[in-house]
Amino acid sequence: MASSGLAYPDRFYAAAAYAGFGVGEATSSAAISRFQNDVALLLYGLHQQATVGPCNVPKPRAWNPVEQSKWTSWHGLGSMPSAEAMRLFVKILEEEDPGWYSRAPEFNPEPVVDIQMHKPKDEPHSVPGSTNGTSIPEPNISENGSSVEAQDKDVILEGLSTVSSHDQWTPLSVSGLRPKPRYEHGATVLQNKMYIFGGNHNGRYLSDLQALDLKSLTWSKVDAKLQAEPADSTKTTQIAPCAGHSLISWGNKFLSIAGHTKDPSEGVTVKEFDPHTCTWSIVRTYGKPPVSRGGQTVTLVGTTLVLFGGEDAERCLLNDLHILDLETMTWDDVDAIGTPPSPRSDHAAACHADRYLLIFGGGSHATCFNDLHVLDLQTMEWSRPKQQGPTPSPRAGHAGGTVGENWYIVGGGNNKSGVSETLVLNMSTLTWSVVSTVEGRVPLASEGMTLVHSNYGGYDYLISFGGYNGRYNNEVYTLKLSLKSDSQSTLKEETLSDTTSRVIEPEAEIYQDGKIREISVDNADSDLNNRNDEASEQLLADLKAQKEELEATLSREQLQTVQLKEDIARAETRNAELTKELQAVRGQLASEQSRCFKLEVDVAELRQKLQSMDALEKEVELLRRQRAASEQAAMDAKQRQSSGGMWGWLAGSPTPAV
């Protein structure tokens, strides 16, 4: 977190002193009483782990439950390193009490200074109406999150179309009720609106959905409901608060994937929002979903979503890879070859050429990264490519946005302060460069901010919102990107320069030796006029040739545009047909699944009947054996009676008649 300029371990000791953890046992007990039981015990265990080390003391006796709970919290940390315990201690304290640093008497934060935007030294940029760069003051924010009018009204521009400076961050003057300040929220652009959902504020998860109209720059709250049952559209309830999730636009809707919640589920949950009905719905997915998490990256690649990394509900860092097919809503667990990135969260990801997945930065519990990893989605192989340009500093919690083949990286923190520079990576050449740099503790140097891309009036804009840098922010900033040079204007400039040189060349030939030549007075004027006429005619001829060439090029481009439009129309028709076929196949698949289910039920019933027949056959066989034994016993008795012998005669038994 960028809550202060203090580095570890001083930052940890400042947090521990503020929380009341001292050397004596009495101070630790007093500190525990300031927080809820589970948080207090966790802080106690982390403090002991950071200052003493792993727990080696014997377990207290059962008659003291408080000491037993403290011992259990400490002992459960195992062999966690001291640095990691320090970072976790500060992180949990900031979630419970975000303003602790400003209230610590011995560690007062430095005042907020104006934002000084400037380009790198090797790329100077002048701003109209400014003589020494553009100084943009940070908007004043009141305690309830409302905006206070800035001092410099000339800098605060209204509307994206009136932003004149390129590659300079500009705070936007927005109207309407601002959303509550937050970080770790989700953001996406859909139908000229930027949607903000969820996030974290003062350690509490949010569930509100806000929309910023990019035409009027007006905030509005979306009264969204959660559809409880897909078959019953009238039964609705509230969406669960979450943070650390990902928002992805898909068609005329957008999806919310994963995120931390108060009562996490076992697997990742996918929610879908329909702006026409203002309704959330839980998307039914197939396959084995990834384990529930937050701080992951979700990247749209064609018709699939690629999920990587994050942190699960038990604060365990992950580096697994999963793919969600958006057409079938089926999860696939991917086993890639090569060396994957180390487990991390709060990193950034982008896709290049619908084939390469790029992972940059992120952090563990004690370390921030600045490494770049690339996954080839065709061969499913990880690699560490060689990069060019200035090496980015380590950071976590930064935001990324792609415009063409350029990947912009904004914000983040490095365990000491917020990262001030805005970077861009050319994904074709893997070359880093610095776009702009901000100064002071400003929202653009925050963790957990969001960055979206919008094209408005033919210009590309990057729009940032929120973040945390010692305080929660709800400001909106925009970066207007420079346009590529126009080929026709370049050609015209080259033509003019060539023709100008042709006009100047005769005069240069006349005067380049610096001497006045001896020529006759009668022929001087005529020669000069002839040369001027020839130069003018040559210039007109060149201009006509260039005009004809440009008109021919324009005609070819128009013809190609018409052909492309026809191709697009055919592709859209084909897409509509394929969509209908897909729906028909889905209907057939549903009927087949229903028939298979009925067959499985019939098979189960037949198996039960078969088991019953086996039992009946065993009973019949047993009865047969008993009957045979009874018949055999009767025959034996009859034979004994019929053959009395001599002993029967002696006994006086009568001889049976024949």
Side-chain angles (χ1 to χ4, degrees):
M1 291 296 178
S3 60
S4 69
L6 287 177
Y8 288 96
D10 295 336
R11 186 170 165 201
F12 162 74
Y13 291 130
Y18 172 80
F21 286 90
V23 181
E25 186 69 20
T27 56
S28 297
S29 300
I32 289 178
S33 63
R34 296 178 54 185
F35 303 93
Q36 297 180 359
N37 292 338
D38 53 347
V39 177
L41 290 174
L42 183 57
L43 288 175
Y44 171 81
L46 291 171
H47 182 267
Q48 293 295 104
Q49 190 82 6
T51 56
V52 180
C55 180
N56 295 321
V57 299
K59 185 176 182 179
R61 298 185 179 275
W63 56 266
N64 195 338
V66 176
E67 294 300 324
Q68 267 199 340
S69 300
K70 293 165 61 176
W71 182 89
T72 303
S73 177
W74 182 14
H75 188 266
L77 299 177
S79 58
M80 177 185 291
S82 175
E84 184 175 350
M86 290 181 179
R87 189 177 188 275
L88 275 177
F89 183 94
V90 176
K91 182 177 181 180
I92 294 173
L93 178 61
E94 288 178 343
E95 290 178 354
E96 294 297 320
D97 189 359
W100 71 270
Y101 184 73
S102 61
R103 290 191 291 270
E106 62 272 28
F107 296 101
N108 288 325
E110 60 187 42
V112 179
V113 298
D114 291 344
I115 307 174
Q116 181 68 34
M117 303 289 185
H118 57 82
K119 296 274 292 180
K121 292 182 179 180
D122 55 345
E123 298 180 6
H125 182 79
S126 60
V127 181
S130 175
T131 57
N132 55 357
T134 304
S135 178
I136 305 177
E138 181 181 359
N140 297 323
I141 305 299
S142 61
E143 293 297 330
N144 57 2
S146 61
S147 176
V148 181
E149 184 179 2
Q151 295 179 358
D152 190 355
K153 295 183 179 180
D154 294 334
V155 178
I156 305 299
L157 304 176
E158 295 186 7
L160 294 178
S161 60
T162 58
V163 177
S164 59
S165 59
H166 295 277
D167 297 331
Q168 300 283 340
W169 282 106
T170 304
L172 291 180
S173 177
V174 296
S175 59
L177 183 61
R178 288 175 177 261
K180 180 181 293 185
R182 67 194 67 198
Y183 80 122
E184 292 184 345
H185 51 282
T188 188
V189 172
L190 184 65
Q191 299 173 355
N192 288 325
K193 288 185 177 181
M194 180 177 69
Y195 287 90
I196 302 296
F197 170 61
N200 192 327
H201 177 80
N202 287 336
R204 291 178 174 83
Y205 298 148
L206 305 175
S207 62
D208 59 329
L209 180 62
Q210 309 280 344
L212 176 64
D213 192 322
L214 297 180
K215 293 183 178 179
S216 61
L217 295 182
T218 302
W219 281 108
S220 61
K221 183 178 181 181
V222 181
D223 188 11
K225 301 291 185 180
L226 173 64
Q227 184 173 323
E229 297 293 338
D232 187 3
S233 60
T234 61
K235 185 177 180 181
T236 57
T237 183
Q238 297 293 333
I239 194 74
C242 63
H245 48 285
S246 303
L247 283 192
I248 302 294
S249 295
W250 175 246
N252 57 357
K253 303 177 182 179
F254 61 81
L255 304 174
S256 175
I257 300 96
H260 292 302
T261 58
K262 184 178 180 181
D263 299 317
S265 58
E266 293 183 359
V268 164
T269 302
V270 180
K271 298 185 286 289
E272 181 183 70
F273 179 75
D274 188 346
H276 297 290
T277 61
C278 292
T279 304
W280 285 102
S281 60
I282 304 298
V283 179
R284 181 180 179 183
T285 60
Y286 303 91
K288 184 179 180 181
V291 65
S292 177
R293 68 192 65 197
Q296 72 293 322
T297 54
V298 178
T299 309
L300 179 63
V301 183
T303 59
T304 62
L305 294 180
V306 182
L307 182 148
F308 174 78
E311 186 180 44
D312 64 13
E314 303 298 328
R315 298 182 180 274
C316 178
L317 294 169
L318 307 168
N319 67 341
D320 51 347
L321 187 68
H322 302 268
I323 294 180
L324 176 64
D325 190 332
L326 293 176
E327 294 183 343
T328 62
M329 285 298 171
T330 303
W331 284 105
D332 186 15
D333 187 2
V334 180
D335 292 328
I337 60 177
T339 304
S342 59
R344 65 190 63 196
S345 66
D346 300 329
H347 48 283
C351 177
H352 176 56
D354 282 342
R355 176 174 177 177
Y356 301 100
L357 178 71
L358 287 75
I359 302 293
F360 170 70
S364 65
H365 295 310
T367 307
C368 293
F369 306 114
N370 65 339
D371 48 355
L372 178 67
H373 299 261
V374 176
L375 173 66
D376 190 333
L377 295 173
Q378 291 187 3
T379 62
M380 285 299 168
E381 181 178 3
W382 287 103
S383 63
R384 289 285 302 276
K386 185 178 180 181
Q387 307 165 56
Q388 301 178 4
T391 301
S393 60
R395 69 197 67 197
H398 47 286
T402 57
V403 181
E405 60 183 17
N406 292 325
W407 186 21
Y408 292 85
I409 302 295
V410 183
N414 54 13
N415 287 334
K416 295 181 181 179
S417 62
V419 180
S420 60
E421 72 268 15
T422 297
L423 303 175
V424 60
L425 174 67
N426 186 296
M427 293 184 286
S428 297
T429 61
L430 293 180
T431 302
W432 288 101
S433 58
V434 179
V435 178
S436 65
T437 305
V438 297
E439 296 181 357
R441 185 176 295 135
V442 295
L444 292 169
S446 300
E447 293 186 24
M449 59 187 296
T450 53
L451 187 71
V452 297
H453 164 246
S454 177
N455 186 278
Y456 188 83
Y459 291 88
D460 289 312
Y461 296 86
L462 295 177
I463 306 171
S464 71
F465 173 78
Y468 179 79
N469 60 353
R471 73 173 186 179
Y472 296 93
N473 302 305
N474 64 349
E475 291 84 3
V476 183
Y477 285 80
T478 185
L479 179 72
K480 184 178 181 180
L481 303 179
S482 298
L483 292 178
K484 296 181 179 179
S485 59
D486 185 73
S487 59
Q488 295 184 0
S489 62
T490 304
L491 183 60
K492 290 180 180 179
E493 291 177 359
E494 293 177 352
T495 304
L496 290 176
S497 62
D498 292 340
T499 54
T500 303
S501 63
R502 295 191 186 102
V503 174
I504 296 176
E505 281 175 359
E507 295 180 359
E509 291 177 358
I510 296 175
Y511 300 106
Q512 63 182 356
D513 57 356
K515 298 180 180 179
I516 300 176
R517 297 180 180 180
E518 296 180 358
I519 56 177
S520 60
V521 178
D522 297 335
N523 297 331
D525 294 339
S526 60
D527 292 340
L528 182 59
N529 292 331
N530 291 334
R531 285 189 178 182
N532 290 336
D533 293 339
E534 292 176 358
S536 299
E537 291 177 358
Q538 182 67 30
L539 175 60
L540 291 175
D542 292 338
L543 289 176
K544 288 181 180 180
Q546 293 293 339
K547 179 182 178 182
E548 293 175 356
E549 183 179 356
L550 290 175
E551 289 177 350
T553 303
L554 180 60
S555 300
R556 290 194 298 269
E557 292 294 335
Q558 290 176 348
L559 179 61
Q560 186 177 4
T561 302
V562 173
Q563 294 177 352
L564 289 176
K565 288 182 179 180
E566 293 177 354
D567 294 340
I568 291 173
R570 288 194 295 267
E572 290 178 349
T573 304
R574 180 58 178 166
N575 187 24
E577 294 175 355
L578 292 176
T579 302
K580 292 180 180 179
E581 293 179 2
L582 178 61
Q583 292 177 353
V585 171
R586 284 181 176 175
Q588 295 175 2
L589 179 60
S591 61
E592 289 296 328
Q593 288 178 345
S594 177
R595 191 171 65 85
C596 290
F597 177 74
K598 292 179 180 179
L599 291 176
E600 289 178 356
V601 173
D602 295 340
V603 170
E605 292 178 353
L606 291 175
R607 285 179 178 173
Q608 292 180 355
K609 292 180 180 180
L610 183 61
Q611 292 177 357
S612 301
M613 291 179 63
D614 292 340
L616 290 174
E617 288 180 357
K618 291 181 181 179
E619 292 180 1
V620 171
E621 183 66 25
L622 180 61
L623 292 174
R624 286 176 180 173
R625 291 180 180 177
Q626 291 178 355
R627 180 182 176 183
S630 300
E631 291 177 353
Q632 184 67 33
M635 291 177 62
D636 293 341
K638 187 175 181 180
Q639 289 177 1
R640 284 195 300 271
Q641 290 177 1
S642 61
S643 59
M646 181 183 64
W647 294 105
W649 178 79
L650 291 176
S653 301
T655 303
V658 178

